Each structure stands twice: as C-alpha cells, then as structure tokens.
Amino acid sequence: MASPAAAVIRIEHLYKEYATDAGPVPVLKDVSVNVMPGEFVAVMGPSGSGKSTFMNILGCLDIATGGRYVLGGRDVGTLNKDELARLRNQVIGFVFQGFNLLPRASLEDNVALPLIYRGTPRSERLARAREMLAKVGLDAYHRSRPNQISGGQQQRVAIARALVTQPTLILADEPTGNLDTATSSEIMALFTELNQRDGITIILVTHEPDIAAYAQRLVRLADGRIIYDGLVEHAAPEHTEATS
Amino acid sequence: MTAAMLAEAWLAMGANRLRTFLTMLGMVIGVGAVILMLAIGQGTQRQVEESIASMGSNLFIILSGSTTSGGLRMGSGATPTLTLADAQAVEELPAVNAVAPSAPGTAQLVYGSNNWSTQVYGTTPAYLTVRAWTLASGFPFTDSDIRSATRVALLGKTVVDNLFGDEDPVGKTIRIRSSPYVVLGTLAPKGQSLDGRDQDDTVIVPVTTAQRKLFGTQFAGTVRFIMVQAESAEAMPAVEKSINELLRQRHRIREGADNDFSVRNLTALANAAAETAKVMSLMLGAIASISLLVGGIGIMNIMLVSVTERTREIGIRMAIGARGNDILLQFLLEAIIISIVGCLIGVGLGVGGALAVNAFSGMAIVITASSIFLAFAVAAAVGIFFGWYPARKAAAMKPIDALRYQ
C-alpha cells in the first residue's frame, strides 16, 4: 500500500457519539482507515453498526466528535460550514438510495445543479450536464422530468449529477437498494467503468454480497468498529453475508 | 449566480401556482388599498387646499354687531354699524394689504329673454385682490366708478352661462332690478367654496352703486361687512388687535362695553379644514397599510410552509454544495419576487381603482409618483422582513437532518 500522505481519505481514531436524553450514545468507536486514489471500497454491516453515520461523516454531512478525518489533504475537523459545503461541492459526488433528484427540474437542470453553487455560467453548466447525461446514456431525455423515467434511469441521472463536478471521490449509499437485480447490475457496471477507466475513487455502502463483490476492498463494521478490512475475495463468508 | 438563483426561485413559485397567486393576492390587495386610499386622501386634501386658496389668504371679516332691543338680541350684522369711512380708516392701519367693504344683496338680473336671480356684491376693486380673483375678460371698475356710483358690473361664470350662454357679455347691458348696467368684465371661475356654495354665482358692482341705487340703506354709507387682508400670516394677530382698537375708538365705545362689530379670522378656519383633510389622508393611508402588513404575514406563513415542505430539497442542495447563504438567498428571493410582483399588480389595481372612483363618483383623486414609490419600497421591505425568518430557518438546517427528513 502507498504512503498514507497520498490517501484520498485518511481517518485516524474516529469517534462519533450522539447526545440523547439518556446520555451520549457512542456510534463509532476508534475507526481508522485510509482510502487510496482509485480504490473501490464496499462498506457493509448490519443496521446499527454505524455505517450510515460513517458515510455521513465521510461525506462531510456530519462531524465526528473525536479523532481526525483528512479528505483530499484537508483536515475536515477544522473547517466551518461554508468550507464543508465547498468541499462537498468540489471533491465529493453523492449517489443516494432514493436518487434524490429535484422532481420539478428537468434532468439537465438536475445534473447541472452542483455547478450553480460553483458560479459556473449557465451555458457551460448545461453543456457539462449534457455531456454527463450522454456518459450515462440518457442524453435523449435531457428535457424530461425525473418522474417520467424509470428508477434505474433516475439513478443514472444521479450518477451524472455526482460526476458533473469531476469529483475525486464518489460516495454511494445503497445505490441499488431501490432497484431490481438487472438494473442493479447495470448501475454497478457503470460504477466499475468509472472506477477502472476514469480512476475515480468509489466508496459504496451496501448490504448485498453480490453488490459488494463489484468492489476490490471490503470494510465491514459491527457495533461501531471495523471488524474486517481487506480484499473482498479474502473475506470470510460471515463478513460478506447479507445484512439488512 | 444571482441569475441562476432567480431562475430557481421562479421554478419553485411556478410549481405551486395557486398558492403563489393567493400569497401574492395579499400583497396585491395591500398595495392596491394603499395606493387607492392615498389617491383619495390626497385628492380630498388638494380639493380643500384649492378651496382655501380660492377664498383668499390672511383674511379677516369684520361684521357689524348685534343689538339688543327690548330684551330681544339680534344676530351679527343686524345693525348697520360699519361704514365706508370705517373701511377707509382700516386701510390706513399698518400691515393691512387690502380692504373691501361689502354691501351684498339679492337681485333679479335680466338680459334679453333670459333672467336669473343671484347674489350682488357692492364692493370696491380691492375685493378682487382680497379674494385673489382675476378676470376672465374685460376690465375691473375703478375708484372713479366708486366715487360716481356708476352702473357697471362684473359677472361670475355661472351668471354669464345663465344670461348669455355662448355670447360674449363684455360691453353688453344687463338689467339689475330693472336698471341698466354695463358689463365691464367677467370673473375667472372659482368653483365651490368650502361650505359648498357656488362662488361663481355672483355679480360685483361698485359699493356706492349698491348702497345708493340698488338696495338702498337705512343709514347712508353703511356696509354689511368689511373684508381685510393682512400682509402676512404673522401680522394677523397685530392687525386684529389694531382693527379692534380703531373701530372701538371710531364707534365711541366706552371702556368695558361690548363691541358693536366682530372681527373673525377666516384663515384659522381654513387652516383647521386643511389640517382635518391632512389627518384624514394619513388615517386612510394608515388603515390601508394594515392590509399590507397582513399581506406580509401571509407571505411569511406560506414561506414557512414552503421551507418545511422542501426540507428534503434543501438537504439535497446542501449535500451537493449549497452554502447556508445560497439557501437563504433562494428563499429570500422567492419572498421578494412575490412581494414585488404583487406590488406591481397592486399598483395597477390601485391606480385603476382610483380612476374608476373618480369616473363614477367624481371624487377628487391625486396619484403621485411618491405614493407609488412608497408602496414599492414598503412591499420590498415587507418581502425582506417577512421572508427573512423562513429563509434563515432553511439556511440553518443541518444537511444530514434535512436529507433524512421524510
């Protein structure tokens, strides 16, 4: 493995606890992990294992209560809200289980949305959006609304939106959770292509072993700790079993 | 960036057209009401001011006094105690601009086959100065007409219309109580007085003519009242005092005895009327502004609902890189657009309403650029003020909470 300094993600002794009426509840306990450029990582774990919290912190949507998280050379813990927004905009592309497209906007406007927050001029925004739509094979639908296309197509649009800012990292949270098997494999093929051809780092949360199998590396969480971190094919069967 | 935000705001508003329209309606009605009420209020105010200006400025009227005979007290003007000589003496007082003694009466006028009954004022040329009255045609009579009590007359517009129609009256001879009078000129129209009388329904003749030839007087040289114009508003109290002193002296009234005349300040009354009109105008505006406030609260209400409804959208936007200020700007722009567009329609409706009121009821209206500007400024302020809190609320959301919102 290359030196940690070149890592896209460097996480050292990360803790996260939530304040509740019954006192603080620890969710992540001493999590340390590095992700190198070009890796394709699957994150698995039963519900309550802390994988959602882990993804939210990775995506700079939530802040850890202890430890260090360095993303693209910047220590996330020292950034303010606006700097976090900037980082999300420039470094990360999100793909969600529920697609999360704006229902009233056309597909091209949806894909172009992240560029608004960069101040990109409209003509360039739309040109880039069309380019990304073409990349996911939906160029013909650029004026359609999200509710006029299928779930698999919506997820492709979401991927196009994640790609439009040319991120170094794509975070996908159960991207195939709402899709049937055939569509799921299409989406996973697209992720694999982005990873292998364009060298984009991908971190993907899933509870399905056959989805996790598309990745090279598996990180398995249980009760807020990493219990396995290694190649997918070397994982013991209990580490890749379906969780829901 | 702002252009993109505007487009986003527009899109959001278009998504729920009925709601946007209803929210806007509050603003439309508010602004419309303010414009309409200001137009009517200022119209009334201007009408009162014009009436006051037509009366003449810095005026006193001296009325001959009341008398008591056998326990029966007669009203003001019942006894002829004022004379032309009194008027001439008042004219000599300092700070007095013009003095017009008047001997009014009613008489029947005849010209050709037309006749008309009207108020005839016997007065001096100074009357025109005092009343700020100009001639529409011809010339006024002069002091020599007063001295020789010639039969000449100046006609008000209403009289001209009734006796002459379209004919030019200057130089023609009319009959007043059967005697012939030469029309020297016609008076410029003045319209209604404050108490609603037609000021143009009048004829002016030399005071001496009225006294000696037209009405006759119980005592030679007496007049019913004297109008006095002071040089300035500031000089009025001093002038009033000196008139009192002069006339008491001239009428030989003993220390402690009542005046046999009374001096009234017409300007004070007029100012009170103007003040009333102004207060009414302000009241109308204030009441209308309340509806503007209610409109603003409507905007806030809907924006709050909208922010809650679109929590997930806010979460998505934040996840892909929107900063708090971007979200704030988006919702604030929506509120401001609703306000401004509502204001535009409201201005149209208000102006249209005012014109309709004017057309159907004849009520005077004044629409000023300043009242439209005011409505605009208030609308923008209302949009920012009432849009701020919901927008702030949206911007302060945590991206993770907003994304999870169902």
Side-chain angles (χ1 to χ4, degrees):
Chain A
M1 217 171 254
S3 78
V8 178
I9 284 174
R10 205 165 83 223
I11 286 173
E12 295 163 357
H13 309 293
L14 199 74
Y15 286 84
K16 173 72 182 177
E17 46 190 42
Y18 286 111
T20 65
D21 293 340
V25 174
V27 180
L28 291 179
K29 304 160 192 165
D30 194 17
V31 172
S32 296
V33 68
N34 288 341
V35 177
M36 303 310 289
E39 277 198 279
F40 190 163
V41 183
V43 177
M44 292 188 81
S47 44
S49 65
K51 66 180 193 300
S52 292
T53 304
F54 183 56
M55 278 305 265
N56 290 336
I57 291 174
L58 283 183
C60 302
L61 295 167
D62 207 351
I63 302 290
T65 42
R68 227 157 84 89
Y69 171 27
V70 181
L71 172 64
R74 302 193 68 181
D75 188 345
V76 173
T78 64
L79 302 180
N80 66 26
K81 274 179 72 179
D82 285 358
E83 287 167 333
L84 287 175
R86 210 177 144 81
L87 200 60
R88 286 197 294 269
N89 186 250
Q90 301 194 329
V91 180
I92 307 170
F94 285 98
V95 179
F96 304 95
Q97 177 176 8
F99 319 137
N100 278 348
L101 300 174
L102 297 187
R104 292 186 299 264
S106 67
L107 299 188
E108 63 179 355
D109 283 337
N110 260 295
V111 174
L113 196 60
L115 296 176
I116 285 184
Y117 301 114
R118 284 189 175 188
T120 310
R122 182 176 163 78
S123 54
E124 194 189 326
R125 282 205 307 268
L126 290 182
R128 296 262 301 271
R130 292 288 293 275
E131 197 184 311
M132 291 305 140
L133 278 173
K135 196 165 183 167
V136 299
L138 286 170
D139 193 30
Y141 298 94
H142 65 281
R143 294 304 307 159
S144 308
R145 316 252 149 194
N147 60 8
Q148 294 167 328
I149 58 175
S150 71
Q153 287 171 322
Q154 288 188 49
Q155 195 60 297
R156 285 170 179 273
V157 174
I159 293 170
R161 182 180 65 190
L163 290 173
V164 79
T165 58
Q166 295 170 322
T168 46
L169 171 68
I170 283 185
L171 291 178
D173 190 0
E174 305 262 14
T176 58
N178 288 5
L179 303 174
D180 60 49
T181 318
T183 320
S184 291
S185 17
E186 280 174 38
I187 294 293
M188 289 318 294
L190 182 56
F191 277 124
T192 310
E193 186 192 328
L194 291 172
N195 175 248
Q196 288 177 356
R197 200 186 59 193
D198 301 336
I200 298 172
T201 313
I202 296 174
I203 300 179
L204 172 125
V205 170
T206 183
H207 60 266
E208 293 167 76
D210 36 337
I211 296 298
Y214 284 91
Q216 300 131 16
R217 179 176 165 192
L218 174 72
V219 170
R220 187 168 176 98
L221 285 165
D223 194 24
R225 294 176 200 279
I226 294 177
I227 57 166
Y228 178 82
D229 182 356
L231 292 177
V232 173
E233 51 266 39
H234 294 170
E238 71 264 30
H239 290 148
T240 56
E241 75 189 6
T243 56
S244 55
Chain B
M1 183 75 177
T2 314
M5 286 293 168
L6 272 174
E8 293 281 308
W10 192 252
L11 193 73
M13 286 163 57
N16 206 330
R17 286 201 184 82
L18 179 64
R19 186 199 280 175
T20 306
F21 168 74
L22 288 176
T23 313
M24 215 175 257
L25 204 57
M27 217 55 213
V28 170
I29 293 172
V31 171
V34 167
I35 297 269
L36 181 62
M37 290 301 132
L38 283 181
I40 291 175
Q42 289 180 342
T44 311
Q45 201 179 329
R46 176 170 297 179
Q47 210 172 26
V48 168
E49 280 164 2
E50 275 169 4
S51 300
I52 291 164
S54 78
M55 195 179 70
S57 52
N58 307 331
L59 284 191
F60 289 109
I61 185 161
I62 309 172
L63 292 163
S64 51
S66 64
T67 51
T68 308
S69 75
L72 202 62
R73 298 191 67 211
M74 311 299 282
S76 281
T79 46
T81 55
L82 294 171
T83 62
L84 278 179
D86 283 337
Q88 277 153 12
V90 169
E91 210 165 351
E92 303 298 317
L93 289 173
V96 167
N97 194 35
V99 174
S102 295
T106 308
Q108 199 73 20
L109 275 55
V110 179
Y111 175 75
S113 57
N114 299 327
N115 72 98
W116 183 251
S117 173
T118 189
Q119 182 88 2
V120 178
Y121 275 88
T123 187
T124 61
Y127 185 73
L128 297 181
T129 313
V130 167
R131 297 287 317 272
W133 218 334
T134 54
L135 292 185
S137 62
F139 300 94
F141 50 78
T142 62
D143 288 339
S144 80
D145 289 308
I146 305 282
R147 276 193 298 278
S148 38
T150 50
R151 288 194 160 110
V152 291
L154 301 173
L155 306 188
K157 173 129 194 333
T158 307
V159 176
V160 172
D161 290 345
N162 281 288
L163 287 184
F164 289 90
D166 293 334
E167 210 178 320
D168 179 16
V170 177
K172 304 277 167 29
T173 300
I174 59 167
R175 287 178 178 276
I176 305 178
R177 288 204 176 159
S178 316
S179 309
Y181 285 76
V182 175
V183 177
L184 286 184
T186 59
L187 297 162
K190 249 188 189 312
Q192 278 192 355
S193 69
L194 273 183
D195 55 9
R197 275 176 307 140
D198 179 6
Q199 302 184 87
D200 298 322
D201 190 4
T202 191
V203 172
I204 297 176
V205 299
V207 63
T208 43
T209 313
Q211 286 170 328
R212 294 176 209 161
K213 300 177 176 167
L214 194 53
F215 304 124
T217 46
Q218 237 174 318
F219 306 101
T222 58
V223 292
R224 189 81 62 80
F225 59 85
I226 302 171
M227 292 185 94
V228 181
Q229 184 171 44
E231 270 172 5
S232 65
E234 292 74 39
M236 292 196 74
V239 169
E240 184 170 1
K241 193 159 169 278
S242 52
I243 290 174
N244 270 307
E245 283 167 1
L246 176 79
L247 290 182
R248 281 180 74 90
Q249 197 188 344
R250 284 181 61 87
H251 294 187
R252 297 195 180 82
I253 298 168
R254 275 191 303 273
E255 198 79 29
D258 286 344
N259 284 348
D260 63 353
F261 62 91
S262 53
V263 181
R264 295 195 188 156
N265 184 335
L266 293 183
T267 309
L269 276 174
N271 287 347
E275 200 58 35
T276 309
K278 199 170 172 184
V279 168
M280 190 191 92
S281 175
L282 277 175
M283 286 271 289
L284 284 176
I287 291 169
S289 327
I290 292 174
S291 56
L292 206 57
L293 188 73
V294 174
I297 294 171
I299 290 181
M300 182 151 161
N301 192 4
I302 288 302
M303 290 311 293
L304 280 172
V305 171
S306 176
V307 165
T308 307
E309 263 187 11
R310 286 156 65 190
T311 299
R312 204 178 166 76
E313 175 194 325
I314 294 166
I316 297 169
R317 287 175 183 274
M318 283 179 160
I320 62 174
R323 288 163 303 162
N325 278 345
D326 296 327
I327 302 291
L328 181 84
L329 187 66
Q330 185 188 342
F331 281 92
L332 205 53
L333 273 176
E334 267 186 60
I336 294 173
I337 290 174
I338 289 177
S339 299
I340 298 284
V341 174
C343 180
L344 275 175
I345 302 172
V347 166
L349 220 64
V351 170
L355 292 176
V357 163
N358 180 252
F360 291 116
S361 74
M363 205 180 258
I365 56 154
V366 175
I367 298 164
T368 57
S370 71
S371 66
I372 291 174
F373 177 78
L374 182 83
F376 244 102
V378 170
V382 162
I384 293 171
F385 183 81
F386 288 102
W388 180 264
Y389 175 73
R392 189 66 243 161
K393 201 179 149 187
M397 283 180 185
K398 283 188 181 162
I400 185 66
D401 296 337
L403 260 182
R404 279 207 198 116
Y405 185 85
Q406 289 303 318

